Structure formats: structure tokens, C-alpha cells
Amino acid sequence: MYRYDEFDHAFVSARVEQFKDQVERRLSGELTEEQFRPLRLMNGVYLQLHAYMLRVAVPYGTLSSRQMHKLAHIARHYDRGYGHFTTRQNIQYNWPALKDIPAVLDELASVEMHALQTSGNCIRNVTADHFAGAAADEVGDPRPYAEILRQWSSMHPEFSYLPRKFKIAVTGADRDRAAIQVHDIGLHLKKNEAGELGFAVYVGGGQGRTPMVAKKIRDFLPVEDLLTYTTAIVRVYNLSGRRDNKYKARIKILVHETGTEEITRQIEAEWQAIKETDLKLPQQDVDAIDTYFAPPNLVQRPEGWSGLAAARKADHAFSAWVDQNVTPHKNPDYGVVTISLKPIGGIPGDATDAQMDLVADIAEKFSYDEIRVSHEQNLVLPHVAIADLRIVYDLLLTDGLATANAGLITDIISCPGLDYCALATARSIPVAQRISERFGNPERQADIGELKLKISGCINACGHHHVGHIGILGVEKKGEELYQISLGGSGDEICTIGDITGRGFSSEEIVDAIETIVDRYLEIRTDKEETFLATYRRVGAAPFKDALYSEVANAA
Amino acid sequence: MSDIEQPAGELWGREGFREDPYVTAETLEEAGDAPAVILPLVAWLGLTEEIRNASNRKIGVLVAPGESIEPLLPLLDSIPVIALQFPAFNDGRSYSKAELIKNQHHFKGELRAVGDVLIDQVAYMLRTGFDTMKVNHAVTLNRLAGHNLHDVPGYYQPGRGSHTVSGTYSWRRVPGA
Ligand code: HEM
Ligand code: SF4
């Protein structure tokens, strides 16, 4: 993985020193909260319902054991013993004291981490496929490009005061695990006929109150043009994106209002003017960054498979976990392990300091020192030998980290909602917990199969509900929390925004309503191979609406 | 807070504060016989070529964030100063305009930032191509007077006032001419 050089260290420490000075001025009263606001936001410090919140960047979701230990240490010493992994592959601390934040930033800097550009109208932390560098289906590792973009976008003088925040996601496989089509820019690393690497470029996707699927504006952009082309896109956006209404300020609205053809023309024209400038990437620089992400030297472990079969036979729970949480690796002796942060009835994405330490220890011994944070709010051990699966499972089991539900209905994405968030209109965590409990039975979940359920506590859609196979949006109506359901959303390579079913459900009704939908799916699927999404795409909303608005109404 | 050593409204550049030779006016008439004037874009575009190029008077142009710089581009050689407005610190359009004017279209005159500028933005402005700023933000003035630019030791992008460093990536720069 990428390691800071002196340049990076000097940069990050300078930023920490500046922020120390700013915090001192705030604490002494020299700065008002209003004056302090833009300064703290630049350092990832939000003011939430009950306290300040610190959002720490995990670039493209990649962590070493040492970094994870540090995150655990911060949770233990500066917070209440836990942290919250988010859909942006970051970690949030909900209870740090303002006076401690500079010390936390110092701690982070000591392991080459920071909280820069995790908020504000700038280019945010670049996200990538959480299986990058390990997945069997990968064309190329997207992280070197995400790292180049991370560097180039750091304190960008031209692009730090954009109309609105700007999110870039990169994937390196045809199977899109990074939801690139709901990002401001989505980059799909691929090869052309000549076998050269480049990107399909998508622009103008997003969620929030106006969800939109991105438009493909270029089928193949050579790697050397990555920064010039991105500059052209962001420049056109910075000059023309709307600033009169913050709800219309994202690039998706500009693309929508200008039209894909015209915006593409403007971007291409700007690109022609800057294509041959200093930002054109020399191959040697790409190669130099690439070497940081060279795959670890995986030891041959062919003995794994025979042992695995026996271990699976002996322990049904272990077998279910392997089925659900282990994904094929490039190297057949290895697997990619998803560590579910969705224990039945738990808070999606939360991890205690002890759990973080445990994961760090396991990664050090059994995953070549690498950990990933997924946008589905889980952790990933990218390089685990098949021969070590049993021991890794046993270790995870000691602290509630072996829930076999990756991709199942209880693997819920949920935003913090009214329990923490100042913008929330409804609670989301408690709804996630109740749904998780209702469907917690392992056989039942496995029978239902792949089903992505996503919950947001307000229209900002931090919980990705628009792209949930089942999405739940909490709104407030006449002082009561009401939950709207949408169906058929998907954030992968066939990206769709879910359709709203109709009137919302009360907090009491919502779990029954979800069960009604799931039961109807089980009735009408052709067979177990037909997933919920496939069924929905075949039959449409009608059968589900029928079930929802007749049965629940009758039952109520 | 220490006292501001310079009066507000002075013009600041890399060399420090100096007198602003320009007056800002809505029209040429309003400016009387001032030898250096800055006019709003529409008024400036309304001038005849003869007046713009008159040797006894410098006439610069003030551009609001929502106004396009397109009509100025063919005329850059005849403009002594372009002042880009920052009515609110978070309106960043003028940074891109600075980049276009200075780096893509090679404007040789003075590029000026006017308005609500936070101290953290000054370094950004210098790097995108601004030469001077006329700032109304008290904290910013105070810090500028103390030569505290809030800058970082290295940049991850090419830009004005910086140079390449050997042995590292092509996009990186360090401060200095
Ligand atoms: C608790 C404090 C938070 C605040 C104040 C907040 C605020 C917002 C706002 C205002 C938007 C809408 C942006 C727009 O439509 O232009 C948004 C979108 C989003 N946020 Fe958050 N958020 C918070 C927490 C989170 C968390 C915990 C996550 C990850 C789990 C997250 C991830 C996202 C994502 C993925 C989007 C939608 C994608 C998009 O930008 O279009 N946010 N957030
Ligand atoms: S979706 Fe709304 S409630 Fe949930 S975290 Fe985002 S802003 Fe807060």
C-alpha cells in the first residue's frame, strides 16, 4: 500500500499545526463558532446533535494493521470505545472533545492518516473497490489511480471552493463494487483492444434528494490523461455548476440541465486546451505509484482445499460463513474475507476498540497486513489463505465478528440518522436493528438470498437507500417518523434508482411491511437462483404494491 | 489580536502592502479625471477601442463571479488590470477564471482578487494566478500584515510561484519562483 514520503509527512504536519492554532483560537474565544466553522470542516470536524464528530479519511478504504491499531487507540482514549465505519469507506468518531482533536490528528499523522477533505465543497476522499488488488475478476488495481487522484486533489488551489462536494470513485473490474455510477465522477479501469489500460468515464451520478445515474461521457481515456481530463471536468463544473440553490449545486444537476452531449462537448473542449500540460502523467510516475500497490508475495498454500472440505462438513456455521463471506481471490489458494460489522440486532458499521485491535492482529498474521473498509460498512481481509480460513473464523468468532451475512438482508447499510445526525428527520439505526432481528435466523436469510437493504434518516441519502434493492427513507410527517419504501434500486454496473412504492409506514409498521415484501418475493420467484432484484426486474412493482397496500392495511 | 498595521483597503501582493493606484467607478464619467480606473465588465465592454487604448489613462475591468470572461479573452493585451470578485468566500468560480486568464490565455497585466477573502485562501489565489488582493476581511488583513500566509511546505499541483522538485512525481511542486 502507499507509504508517505517526506513530502507527504511535511504536508500533513503543517496542516495539523495550522489546525492546532485554530482550535486554540476557538477555545480562547478569539474565533466564534461561525468563524471556526469553515476551518474545522476543512479538517473533518462536524458539529452534530450532541457533540463534535471527527471524520477520518481512509483513502480508497485501504488500511494496514498499524493504522487499524491506531484507530482502535483513538476510539479507546479519545472517544467512548467505538468508531463508526461509513459508506464512504471512512471512519467517524462521535464523541471526541474539541480540545483533544489536534492530538488525535497528531496520532493519525504518525500512521500516515488525516482527516483532510472529509467535508466541505472540495474533492472528497476518493473511494475504490474494496476488493481491489485481490478480486479474481479484476482487470487492474484501481488504487494507484485513486492515490494519484488523492494527491492531486489535496488542497487543490482551484477546486477547494466548488459549488458543492465532489466525489470520485474508481473500480477495476466489470463487476462494480464501488457504485461508481452514483458518484460525481465514476472511473472504470479497463483495457482497450490493444491491451492498454484506460478508463471509461462517468459523470453526474449522485443520490441525495435528486438521485441520478451517471452518464458515460468517454468510453476509453488513456491513463496518461487521467489528471488533465479530471481537471477539465471539475473546471467546467466549478465555472458553471449552480450556486444559487444548494440542493441543485451538484454536478448531476449541471449535467442534467445542460444535457450530456453539450456538457461532454464543453469538457472535451477544455481538455483539448490542457491535454499536453504538466498534468499529463508520465508512465514512470504511474509505475512508481503502482509499485506501492504491488500484490503481496503470496506463499503457495495448496493444502487449504482438502482441509476446508472437512472443516465445512464438521461445522455447519463455519460452512455458511465461508459460503457467504468469502469471495474468490486472484490466487486460487486464497480467499477474500468479508468481516461483517452487522451482527444481528447491532448498529451497522460500528466497531469497538477491541474489535478493531482484533482485526488488526488477524490481518497482520493472516492477511499480509492489509485491511479494507467497504462502502457496505464492513471490513475486508483481502488475502487470507484458504488453509487459514478456519483459524481466522475462530478468531473472529471470539468477538462477534463472524456473522455470516455478507450480501444478505441483515447486511444493512444505515446512516446514523436521528441518533446522531443534526440533519436527520427520522431514526434509522433502530429500524435497522429491528429488521435485523426479524430476519436474523441464518437459514431464513440464506433462503432469501442476496438482498441489499439500505436505510437513510433523511433525504440526503447517506445510507444509499436509492440504490438499495429495498430502500427505506425516514421522513417526518406531522411530528411523526414515517418510512418510505423504494424497490429495485441497485448501485452496481447495472445501476438503477429504486421506485417508491407509495405511502410510507410508521415506525411500528415498517418491519412488517419489509416482511410482506420479502414474503411476496419468496412466493413469486421462479426458483432460488432468481434473486430479489432479478425478480423485481422481471415482474415490476405491482405484485409488491398489492401485497403492501392490501395486506398491511388489512392487518393494521 | 494584535493591531492591524496597515489600513483596510490597501492592496496586497507578494511584496506586501502598497497603495492602490486605481479608483473603482461605475462609469468613466463618475471616475472624473483619475488616471487609473476599474470599471464593471459591462461598462468596460461598452468603451470604444480608442478609449480603452488611450495612453493617458489605464482602464481596468471588474468581473463578478456570474459573469463570463469570454468577451475579454480576445482583448487581454489592452487590459492593465482584471479584478475578479469574491463577494462570498465560498464562491470559487474566480479561481478557475484566474487559471484560464493567466495560464491558458497568458494575460500579462495585473490579476486582482477583490472581496471576502479568508487567510487560508490567499495561498490558493497566488497559485492560481492572482497577483494582488484587495481584501475586506479583518482577520485576513491582520494575518497578511504579519506575513502569515497559512501555506504548506509542498503542493500536489502545478501552479504559479512554485517549481518542480527532482526525484518526485511530476504533479508535485514546492513554493518559490
Ligand atoms: C452525521 C453527519 C452527516 C451529515 C451532516 C451528512 C450530510 C450529508 C448531506 C447534506 C448530503 C447530501 C449532499 C447532496 O445531496 O448534495 C449527504 C450525502 C451523502 N452522505 Fe452524508 N452526512 C453525514 C453522515 C454521513 C455518513 C455517516 C455517511 C456514510 C455512512 C455519509 C455518506 C454520504 C453519502 C454516501 C451521501 C450520498 C451520495 C451523494 O453525495 O450524492 N454521510 N450527506
Ligand atoms: S441521510 Fe440524513 S440523517 Fe442520515 S446521516 Fe445523512 S444527513 Fe444525517
mmCIF file of all heavy atoms in Angstrom, chain A residues 246-260:
data_model
loop_
_atom_site.group_PDB
_atom_site.id
_atom_site.type_symbol
_atom_site.label_atom_id
_atom_site.label_comp_id
_atom_site.label_asym_id
_atom_site.label_seq_id
_atom_site.Cartn_x
_atom_site.Cartn_y
_atom_site.Cartn_z
ATOM 1 N N LYS A 246 -28.458 25.273 -2.953
ATOM 2 C CA LYS A 246 -27.512 24.216 -2.597
ATOM 3 C C LYS A 246 -28.036 22.820 -2.934
ATOM 4 O O LYS A 246 -27.268 21.884 -3.087
ATOM 5 C CB LYS A 246 -27.076 24.369 -1.139
ATOM 6 C CG LYS A 246 -27.763 23.563 -0.124
ATOM 7 C CD LYS A 246 -27.074 23.762 1.223
ATOM 8 C CE LYS A 246 -27.445 22.610 2.113
ATOM 9 N NZ LYS A 246 -27.037 22.658 3.455
ATOM 10 N N TYR A 247 -29.335 22.717 -3.116
ATOM 11 C CA TYR A 247 -29.891 21.413 -3.499
ATOM 12 C C TYR A 247 -29.752 21.150 -4.991
ATOM 13 O O TYR A 247 -30.065 20.081 -5.485
ATOM 14 C CB TYR A 247 -31.356 21.310 -3.079
ATOM 15 C CG TYR A 247 -31.510 21.432 -1.593
ATOM 16 C CD1 TYR A 247 -32.230 22.470 -1.017
ATOM 17 C CD2 TYR A 247 -30.892 20.509 -0.746
ATOM 18 C CE1 TYR A 247 -32.333 22.597 0.357
ATOM 19 C CE2 TYR A 247 -30.987 20.627 0.624
ATOM 20 C CZ TYR A 247 -31.708 21.669 1.170
ATOM 21 O OH TYR A 247 -31.803 21.789 2.527
ATOM 22 N N LYS A 248 -29.336 22.178 -5.733
ATOM 23 C CA LYS A 248 -29.162 21.974 -7.180
ATOM 24 C C LYS A 248 -27.716 22.174 -7.579
ATOM 25 O O LYS A 248 -27.413 22.457 -8.732
ATOM 26 C CB LYS A 248 -30.060 22.962 -7.927
ATOM 27 C CG LYS A 248 -31.515 22.781 -7.522
ATOM 28 C CD LYS A 248 -32.455 23.196 -8.604
ATOM 29 C CE LYS A 248 -33.776 22.489 -8.364
ATOM 30 N NZ LYS A 248 -34.931 23.262 -8.580
ATOM 31 N N ALA A 249 -26.832 22.084 -6.612
ATOM 32 C CA ALA A 249 -25.455 22.503 -6.857
ATOM 33 C C ALA A 249 -24.522 21.372 -7.275
ATOM 34 O O ALA A 249 -23.417 21.619 -7.731
ATOM 35 C CB ALA A 249 -24.907 23.205 -5.615
ATOM 36 N N ARG A 250 -24.973 20.133 -7.139
ATOM 37 C CA ARG A 250 -24.083 19.035 -7.512
ATOM 38 C C ARG A 250 -23.945 18.967 -9.037
ATOM 39 O O ARG A 250 -24.810 19.429 -9.772
ATOM 40 C CB ARG A 250 -24.637 17.692 -6.990
ATOM 41 C CG ARG A 250 -24.703 17.588 -5.474
ATOM 42 C CD ARG A 250 -23.340 17.500 -4.815
ATOM 43 N NE ARG A 250 -22.669 16.229 -5.027
ATOM 44 C CZ ARG A 250 -22.754 15.181 -4.218
ATOM 45 N NH1 ARG A 250 -23.505 15.222 -3.133
ATOM 46 N NH2 ARG A 250 -22.079 14.084 -4.476
ATOM 47 N N ILE A 251 -22.885 18.309 -9.493
ATOM 48 C CA ILE A 251 -22.635 18.251 -10.942
ATOM 49 C C ILE A 251 -23.752 17.488 -11.656
ATOM 50 O O ILE A 251 -24.027 17.729 -12.829
ATOM 51 C CB ILE A 251 -21.245 17.654 -11.271
ATOM 52 C CG1 ILE A 251 -20.861 17.943 -12.732
ATOM 53 C CG2 ILE A 251 -21.189 16.174 -10.973
ATOM 54 C CD1 ILE A 251 -19.452 17.507 -13.109
ATOM 55 N N LYS A 252 -24.428 16.592 -10.941
ATOM 56 C CA LYS A 252 -25.508 15.842 -11.592
ATOM 57 C C LYS A 252 -26.569 16.791 -12.154
ATOM 58 O O LYS A 252 -27.116 16.553 -13.232
ATOM 59 C CB LYS A 252 -26.142 14.844 -10.608
ATOM 60 C CG LYS A 252 -26.824 15.481 -9.417
ATOM 61 C CD LYS A 252 -27.228 14.473 -8.356
ATOM 62 C CE LYS A 252 -27.697 15.226 -7.107
ATOM 63 N NZ LYS A 252 -27.923 14.332 -5.981
ATOM 64 N N ILE A 253 -26.850 17.881 -11.433
ATOM 65 C CA ILE A 253 -27.858 18.833 -11.908
ATOM 66 C C ILE A 253 -27.329 19.582 -13.134
ATOM 67 O O ILE A 253 -28.049 19.791 -14.108
ATOM 68 C CB ILE A 253 -28.244 19.844 -10.795
ATOM 69 C CG1 ILE A 253 -28.715 19.095 -9.532
ATOM 70 C CG2 ILE A 253 -29.298 20.831 -11.290
ATOM 71 C CD1 ILE A 253 -30.039 18.392 -9.655
ATOM 72 N N LEU A 254 -26.060 19.963 -13.098
ATOM 73 C CA LEU A 254 -25.462 20.631 -14.258
ATOM 74 C C LEU A 254 -25.529 19.728 -15.491
ATOM 75 O O LEU A 254 -25.924 20.159 -16.576
ATOM 76 C CB LEU A 254 -24.007 21.006 -13.958
ATOM 77 C CG LEU A 254 -23.261 21.686 -15.113
ATOM 78 C CD1 LEU A 254 -23.849 23.067 -15.398
ATOM 79 C CD2 LEU A 254 -21.767 21.789 -14.817
ATOM 80 N N VAL A 255 -25.166 18.468 -15.311
ATOM 81 C CA VAL A 255 -25.197 17.529 -16.437
ATOM 82 C C VAL A 255 -26.633 17.391 -16.946
ATOM 83 O O VAL A 255 -26.895 17.442 -18.150
ATOM 84 C CB VAL A 255 -24.626 16.153 -16.013
ATOM 85 C CG1 VAL A 255 -24.834 15.119 -17.109
ATOM 86 C CG2 VAL A 255 -23.145 16.277 -15.667
ATOM 87 N N HIS A 256 -27.556 17.271 -15.999
ATOM 88 C CA HIS A 256 -28.960 17.095 -16.359
ATOM 89 C C HIS A 256 -29.508 18.322 -17.095
ATOM 90 O O HIS A 256 -30.154 18.204 -18.125
ATOM 91 C CB HIS A 256 -29.767 16.828 -15.091
ATOM 92 C CG HIS A 256 -31.218 16.635 -15.329
ATOM 93 N ND1 HIS A 256 -31.718 15.487 -15.904
ATOM 94 C CD2 HIS A 256 -32.273 17.436 -15.103
ATOM 95 C CE1 HIS A 256 -33.028 15.591 -16.002
ATOM 96 N NE2 HIS A 256 -33.390 16.770 -15.525
ATOM 97 N N GLU A 257 -29.219 19.508 -16.552
ATOM 98 C CA GLU A 257 -29.788 20.723 -17.136
ATOM 99 C C GLU A 257 -29.092 21.121 -18.444
ATOM 100 O O GLU A 257 -29.707 21.705 -19.328
ATOM 101 C CB GLU A 257 -29.731 21.879 -16.129
ATOM 102 C CG GLU A 257 -30.725 21.675 -14.982
ATOM 103 C CD GLU A 257 -30.714 22.811 -13.953
ATOM 104 O OE1 GLU A 257 -29.820 23.677 -14.029
ATOM 105 O OE2 GLU A 257 -31.608 22.824 -13.079
ATOM 106 N N THR A 258 -27.802 20.815 -18.566
ATOM 107 C CA THR A 258 -27.067 21.194 -19.776
ATOM 108 C C THR A 258 -27.255 20.160 -20.875
ATOM 109 O O THR A 258 -27.178 20.485 -22.057
ATOM 110 C CB THR A 258 -25.555 21.305 -19.463
ATOM 111 O OG1 THR A 258 -25.402 22.018 -18.248
ATOM 112 C CG2 THR A 258 -24.810 22.019 -20.550
ATOM 113 N N GLY A 259 -27.479 18.927 -20.489
ATOM 114 C CA GLY A 259 -27.578 17.841 -21.462
ATOM 115 C C GLY A 259 -26.225 17.163 -21.603
ATOM 116 O O GLY A 259 -25.186 17.844 -21.621
ATOM 117 N N THR A 260 -26.247 15.846 -21.713
ATOM 118 C CA THR A 260 -24.998 15.086 -21.741
ATOM 119 C C THR A 260 -24.121 15.475 -22.925
ATOM 120 O O THR A 260 -22.910 15.629 -22.806
ATOM 121 C CB THR A 260 -25.307 13.577 -21.805
ATOM 122 O OG1 THR A 260 -26.262 13.270 -20.788
ATOM 123 C CG2 THR A 260 -24.064 12.746 -21.581
#
